[in-house]
Amino acid sequence: MSDFPLWLLGNFATVQQVRDSLSAGKFPLVFGIEFEGHVHELHFSVMDKTGDGIVIEFTADGRTVFNNTIGVLTNSPPYDYQLMNIRNYVQLSKYNRDPLVLGPDSFPATGQGSGLLGLPGDLTPPSRFVRVAVLKEFATQPANSTEAVNLAFHVLNSVDIPLGVVTNRTNGHSEYTLWAVAKDLTNNAFYYRTYNDMTIRVAYLNNVQQGKMIYLPVNRPISAGFLDVTAQMQLVTSKGSGAPQDEL
């Protein structure tokens, strides 16, 4: 299973080349890893620099391939189920709703965000799929790679799983978000943050030694990665004047 992404990267430059290989019947068989008596389904997202993307899945029904028009993938259930499930949320909107009028009474929304009433907030894969698909579509589209990476991590934060909140009752094992990554395929930059340190780090892959096997250690202990800004505090000099609205 772990060799499959490496095989893809070593043999194809574009998603279309992968499609051509699939249709020519030259694609390898891929098997999942058995864990605790269960063979897990495999879900792979393949994207290229043009934004073209496909989802390749290996399940009990065999191999299936979908065009990834949504730009989202979770580990389960299969991609076609996810697309069908989105139809349960056709009411979602980026715009606030008008007040509900019942007889002589009018009931305005409680605060902002009423257009997203009903957005699933649990941590199951289908709910995370919907949440990411909607947020990335409704968000102001970035103008450059810096804004795109910033938006990517904001969206990923919406599906971050804290340690302990998703726990197996039988063995006490907890699922949580070990790390989050964003990949800039135009500039070959790899951005990541870990559970123990929310600082976003970047590796520029064009600058690493080619042809060698390398690794990036990410599973570090909890870091006191907090920037002390105490010395940057400024005195309000006159009554009624203060910091700009975008400052604390």
Side-chain angles (χ1 to χ4, degrees):
M1 178 193 74
S2 60
D3 291 336
F4 183 58
L6 299 178
W7 182 82
L8 287 173
L9 291 170
N11 287 275
F12 306 103
T14 66
V15 168
Q16 188 55 50
Q17 290 179 0
V18 179
R19 288 194 188 95
D20 294 341
S21 179
L22 284 163
S23 62
K26 299 179 180 179
F27 222 67
L29 294 174
V30 177
F31 300 94
I33 296 176
E34 183 173 339
F35 180 71
E36 294 183 349
H38 178 69
V39 177
H40 292 266
E41 298 178 344
L42 302 178
H43 309 260
F44 298 96
S45 175
V46 186
M47 307 286 294
D48 64 24
K49 292 183 178 182
T50 69
D52 192 13
I54 57 174
V55 170
I56 304 174
E57 297 182 317
F58 297 88
T59 69
D61 297 326
R63 185 187 69 206
T64 54
V65 182
F66 304 94
N67 290 325
N68 193 355
T69 54
I70 302 296
V72 182
L73 176 67
T74 61
N75 53 310
S76 66
Y79 188 73
D80 54 349
Y81 171 93
Q82 306 282 16
L83 297 185
M84 180 65 70
N85 183 53
I86 286 182
R87 298 172 66 178
N88 291 316
Y89 301 94
V90 294
Q91 82 283 359
L92 297 178
S93 170
K94 66 194 307 181
Y95 302 106
N96 289 333
R97 296 192 179 282
D98 295 331
L100 174 65
V101 178
L102 298 176
D105 297 318
S106 178
F107 299 87
T110 304
Q112 301 297 312
S114 58
L116 292 175
L117 280 171
L119 183 70
D122 63 79
L123 296 173
T124 61
S127 293
R128 288 186 283 123
F129 186 100
V130 172
R131 204 149 64 246
V132 169
V134 167
L135 292 181
K136 86 177 194 67
E137 181 67 25
F138 288 175
T140 299
Q141 295 306 295
N144 51 55
S145 60
T146 300
E147 291 183 7
V149 170
N150 184 57
L151 174 60
F153 279 100
H154 277 291
V155 173
L156 288 173
N157 287 344
S158 75
V159 290
D160 185 272
I161 303 176
L163 179 62
V165 302
V166 177
T167 302
N168 187 300
R169 188 183 299 274
T170 302
N171 58 22
H173 175 73
S174 290
E175 299 283 346
Y176 66 103
T177 304
L178 286 167
W179 58 74
V181 304
K183 303 169 187 177
D184 178 354
L185 299 184
T186 300
N187 299 299
N188 288 337
F190 182 87
Y191 298 82
Y192 72 96
R193 65 160 177 79
T194 67
Y195 186 87
N196 291 334
D197 189 343
M198 300 291 282
T199 305
I200 297 174
R201 292 174 165 81
V202 59
Y204 295 101
L205 301 183
N206 288 337
N207 299 332
V208 302
Q209 187 175 5
Q210 303 297 310
K212 299 291 183 180
M213 184 175 293
I214 59 175
Y215 77 97
L216 186 65
V218 295
N219 191 20
R220 297 184 175 94
I222 294 179
S223 168
F226 308 121
L227 180 62
D228 185 353
V229 296
T230 309
Q232 298 180 23
M233 293 184 176
Q234 300 180 28
L235 184 66
V236 177
T237 56
S238 62
K239 184 176 181 180
S241 64
Q245 289 186 357
D246 60 349
E247 298 183 11
L248 295 176

